Amino acid sequence: MEDSEPVQLTLRFSPMAWAKLLYFRDQSDNEVGGFGITDPDDLLFVQDVVAVKQEVTSISVKFDDEAVSEFFDEQVDLGRRPEQFARLWLHTHPGDSPEPSGKDEETFKRVFGACQWAAMVIVAQDDSTYARLSFNVGPGSQVLIPVGIDYSQAFGPSDHDSWDAEYAANVRAVDWLCEPAQHEKASADRQWHSDVVPYDFLAEFEGMEPAQRQALLDELADRPELWDRESEVLFL
């Protein structure tokens, strides 16, 4: 008896879901995130992308915990199981690298590490993708899988008005750099010396992809008010 060929796992998006994710991505130069909604009989087929309340910057996405809880309750009320709405973590990168940052890895492990399985999916500005399935039962394993668009099943039309409303209601851009006044207050509260850059920032910077680092440095170059020109100290 001949051995059968292993099944190639592929994360597939409906054309509508893919268009919606790219539409969200192209609204700004920041990251944006959401959850993939899947078919109950095909958990790697994304039928829709849903954004929850979040704060975004050019290098990060932070979901609101209460909004995530409400989203989960709504999905259960619709008759969906957790594996249909809480296993695919989708987000975008404004640069041309979809590789996960150190912060992405930490978030994926912390938030989804207790799930039997989950996937981290990243789409970059040039449409390149990164998708990794993580299995957290037994010995555990991880595997990179390709991403594709599935035209073989029925799909709905684009709805820019609805997508605009969803984005506006849930996505709030924040400046990852604190204003100098905030820095001074934080320094007084934490007794930080003014020429010390927080270690967690340095660790995150070291974990960035080259394209993300360059975007960060370009932003700093455009924000001279954040620098003390005499001491060349960055106010965080």
Side-chain angles (χ1 to χ4, degrees), residues 77-94:
D77 290 343
L78 290 172
R80 293 189 175 118
R81 306 190 307 272
E83 55 266 33
Q84 289 180 254
F85 61 81
R87 295 293 182 269
L88 302 182
W89 175 41
L90 317 174
H91 73 282
T92 67
H93 281 177

Side-chain angles (χ1 to χ4, degrees), residues 16-38:
M16 187 278 290
W18 181 252
K20 185 178 181 181
L21 180 58
L22 298 192
Y23 190 78
F24 282 172
R25 179 199 65 187
D26 295 340
Q27 295 305 298
S28 76
D29 293 329
N30 294 313
E31 295 189 4
V32 64
F35 291 97
I37 307 297
T38 65

Side-chain angles (χ1 to χ4, degrees), residues 11-13 17-18 20-22 24 31-38 43-52 54 56 61 63 84-93 104 108 112 118-123 129-132 147:
L11 179 67
R12 292 142 38 242
F13 284 77
W18 181 252
K20 185 178 181 181
L21 180 58
L22 298 192
F24 282 172
E31 295 189 4
V32 64
F35 291 97
I37 307 297
T38 65
L43 299 178
L44 292 181
F45 176 55
V46 182
Q47 297 176 316
D48 195 7
V49 175
V50 177
V52 297
Q54 58 195 275
V56 301
V61 173
F63 288 172
Q84 289 180 254
F85 61 81
R87 295 293 182 269
L88 302 182
W89 175 41
L90 317 174
H91 73 282
T92 67
H93 281 177
D104 292 338
F108 188 55
F112 296 92
M120 173 167 55
V121 185
I122 304 171
V123 181
T129 59
Y130 177 98
R132 189 174 83 225
V147 175

